[in-house]
Amino acid sequence: MKRLLGPATAALLALAGGLTLTAPAAAAECPSGHFCAWEHADFGGQRANWSGDDGWWEGWIADNDSSWANHGISGPGVKDYVRVYESAWQGGSMTICLAPGQEAGDNGAANDRGDSHIWATGC
Ligand SMILES: [Ca+2]
Ligand SMILES: [Ca+2]
């Protein structure tokens, strides 16, 4: 029964009903253990997801990231925060940093700027 009530179902309901996607907490569909970034705000459009670091995002998501979710798994000494940077290989400024479990449906300062990210022990 649990599977029937998953995020895919919610997304279908939202599409079918024309409901707003004003999201409650933990609304983003992002695999456990992954950092996800979407090309549009509110977790819309194509999604990129990574379980590890990436110093050079693919072209379609680089400078096109508009919402983010950190579904990393926490634990003692685990790098469970995600830092996103404006240039490749953690160059330039940090555009956004997500705590474990944190989701951001939009962020004006970080919008369409990310080029790389690393997992870290803090922001
Ligand atoms: Ca975008
Ligand atoms: Ca950039």
Side-chain angles (χ1 to χ4, degrees):
M1 287 302 290
K2 195 174 181 183
R3 291 173 63 91
L4 295 175
L5 299 173
T9 304
L12 283 173
L13 287 172
L15 287 171
L19 303 173
T20 64
L21 289 174
T22 303
E29 193 170 340
C30 177
S32 178
H34 286 236
F35 163 58
C36 296
W38 288 260
E39 61 179 338
H40 301 316
D42 295 327
F43 321 110
Q46 195 172 346
R47 184 193 75 199
N49 55 280
W50 301 266
S51 57
D53 300 344
D54 190 348
W56 194 325
W57 288 3
E58 290 184 57
W60 67 268
I61 189 67
D63 290 336
N64 196 23
D65 52 325
S66 297
S67 49
W68 308 262
N70 175 358
H71 285 190
I73 297 169
S74 294
V78 171
K79 292 181 178 179
D80 50 8
Y81 287 74
V82 175
R83 298 178 178 192
V84 178
Y85 291 85
E86 69 172 347
S87 301
W89 307 111
Q90 295 81 53
S93 300
M94 186 170 70
T95 62
I96 192 169
C97 180
L98 299 169
Q102 187 177 354
E103 300 175 345
D106 62 79
N107 183 296
N111 188 51
D112 291 346
R113 290 180 64 206
D115 282 89
S116 63
H117 76 273
I118 54 168
W119 293 88
T121 54
C123 283

